[in-house]
Amino acid sequence: MNDDRPVLLETRGTCLHLTLNRPRALNALSRTMVRLLHEALARAEEDEAIDAVLLSGAGDRGLCAGGDIRALHDDARASGRASLEFWREEYRLNARIARFPKPYVALMDGIVMGGGVGVSAHAGLRVVTERSRVAMPETAIGFVPDVGGTRLLAAAPGELGTHLALTGRSVGAADAVLCGLADHYVPARLLPALTEALGEPAVALGEPAVPGVPVAGIVQRFATEPPAGELAAQRDWIDACYAADTVEEIVRRLRGCGVAAAGTAADELLTKSPLALKVTLASVRRAARLGSLEAVLDQEFRVSSRAFEHPDFVEGVRARIIDKDNDPQWKPGSLAEVDDQEVARFFAPLGPGEQELGLAPGPTDVPAREGQAG
């Protein structure tokens, strides 16, 4: 009989194995799942018999496709507030994962997007496979990268993170490692053996257990070089074009650099929400100047709260996911029509009756980059 619990917990030797268990929904996160993960990590942190935590996804399609977009869409249409409370708990979970004191291994096999990145890419040991497709695709639905994603992307080499944030493109194993979204490549066929070995670290390594050390050694023992990626060979034009201070200038450089792939990227950007693009660029640039993940998550909560209220989010989900006509009617409809003050509003402190996330001490405001709104 199938187990319909949304998160499965199993202790294998000294490893607590957490399985996201909504395979029909590509393991999309619900508020219940976030709470169950919080509770499991809190217990594992205190349990001296647990040396490590392993996160994986049920089914063969992916670890997690993100939050439950349809539920968020329906809440936004109804002018609800449940989504904000979901994000409040989810972002706190992202911070907990990043600060978890024991080895936390995330198997980023298959599709890993949005909230799936949040529960995996902040882990201490992040494993990708030949099936991995990792992305923060929010601009396509009128939203902005969150779950600490703007910090991860801001830390990528050169302007690779800006490219991925604005286009929302997915990357495979080698490019995920290059961009700092993952650490090790393990062929998918070896994941069952890796999972088994993590439960018996001393046996797997043939040596006495040393807390924290054997887990990394086991993962490295299974790891190998990934198949070649794409981004390393594209660094020249990506770094030159995406270093611009505005989305308009980025598009102009992409069109003018004479590289076919750059022109394709420019065309791709112009299908996204103009407002989401500008807020995303500001978010990534600001994240690079914030001193901690907690401060970035505080900023992202403000941005998500404002994006949730804006009609582009509902329209983007309608066009891309519900009706699938791929013809969103963005408001405003062009980059030129996006007002700098509207962009800045996404980063302003939340108003009366609204509660900040409040993970980091002190204000999260940072000066805008010269020539850039916000």
Side-chain angles (χ1 to χ4, degrees), residues 16-329:
L16 174 62
H17 188 175
L18 307 175
T19 304
L20 305 180
N21 189 38
R22 295 182 65 201
R24 290 184 179 179
L26 240 171
N27 301 318
L29 293 174
S30 66
R31 193 172 178 184
T32 296
M33 295 168 74
V34 168
R35 288 178 173 176
L36 289 171
L37 291 171
H38 264 298
E39 294 167 2
L41 292 178
R43 291 195 300 270
E45 187 170 338
E46 300 298 325
D47 190 342
E48 295 182 358
I50 297 298
D51 289 335
V53 169
L54 175 69
L55 178 74
S56 66
D60 58 4
R61 296 171 61 201
L63 172 66
C64 175
D68 190 331
I69 295 297
R70 287 177 179 266
L72 297 171
H73 167 271
D74 293 346
D75 189 37
R77 285 196 65 187
S79 300
R81 306 292 292 177
S83 298
L84 302 186
E85 296 312 306
F86 166 71
W87 286 321
R88 190 183 301 279
E89 295 185 36
E90 183 186 25
Y91 297 177
R92 290 183 179 277
L93 174 64
N94 303 147
R96 171 168 234 150
I97 290 168
R99 305 296 180 230
F100 194 67
K102 299 178 181 181
Y104 180 115
V105 183
L107 302 185
M108 301 171 70
D109 184 34
I111 292 175
V112 186
M113 295 185 178
V117 172
V119 295
S120 61
H122 299 299
L125 290 161
R126 305 161 301 175
V127 174
V128 283
T129 75
E130 72 278 8
R131 304 187 300 204
S132 295
R133 299 306 301 175
V134 184
M136 297 297 295
E138 286 79 6
T139 55
I141 57 169
F143 203 66
V144 178
D146 63 341
V147 299
T150 58
R151 180 176 173 84
L152 293 165
L153 294 170
E159 296 294 336
L160 293 179
T162 308
H163 172 59
L164 297 182
L166 295 179
T167 61
R169 286 185 182 178
S170 63
V171 295
D175 288 332
V177 173
L178 172 64
C179 291
L181 300 173
D183 304 300
H184 301 287
Y185 169 77
V186 175
R189 62 183 174 79
L190 297 181
L191 293 183
L194 171 59
T195 299
E196 183 177 354
L198 287 170
E200 300 288 346
V203 173
L205 289 177
E207 58 189 33
V210 178
V213 177
V215 173
I218 290 169
V219 174
Q220 290 171 359
R221 179 166 292 189
F222 283 85
T224 186
E225 285 296 313
E230 300 175 0
L231 292 180
Q234 300 176 346
R235 280 288 304 276
D236 287 349
W237 67 262
I238 288 176
D239 288 353
C241 296
Y242 286 93
D245 286 328
T246 67
V247 179
E248 291 95 329
E249 177 61 15
I250 288 172
V251 172
R252 189 192 70 77
R253 292 186 186 184
L254 289 170
R255 289 220 185 280
C257 76
V259 177
T264 299
D267 293 341
E268 198 172 336
L269 289 181
L270 295 179
T271 69
K272 315 295 184 184
S273 159
L275 179 60
L277 287 174
K278 290 202 171 187
V279 175
T280 294
L281 180 62
S283 294
V284 172
R285 296 280 163 77
R286 283 169 165 261
R289 302 192 295 276
L290 290 170
S292 68
L293 172 62
E294 287 80 3
V296 170
L297 288 166
D298 284 347
Q299 172 177 277
E300 290 178 346
F301 186 75
R302 290 180 178 179
V303 171
S304 295
S305 298
R306 297 296 177 240
F308 181 71
E309 299 168 350
H310 195 276
D312 273 7
F313 175 58
V314 168
E315 173 63 7
V317 176
R318 179 207 65 76
R320 306 293 193 195
I321 296 172
I322 296 177
D323 294 343
K324 298 183 179 178
D325 58 28
N326 290 315
D327 186 28
Q329 302 303 302

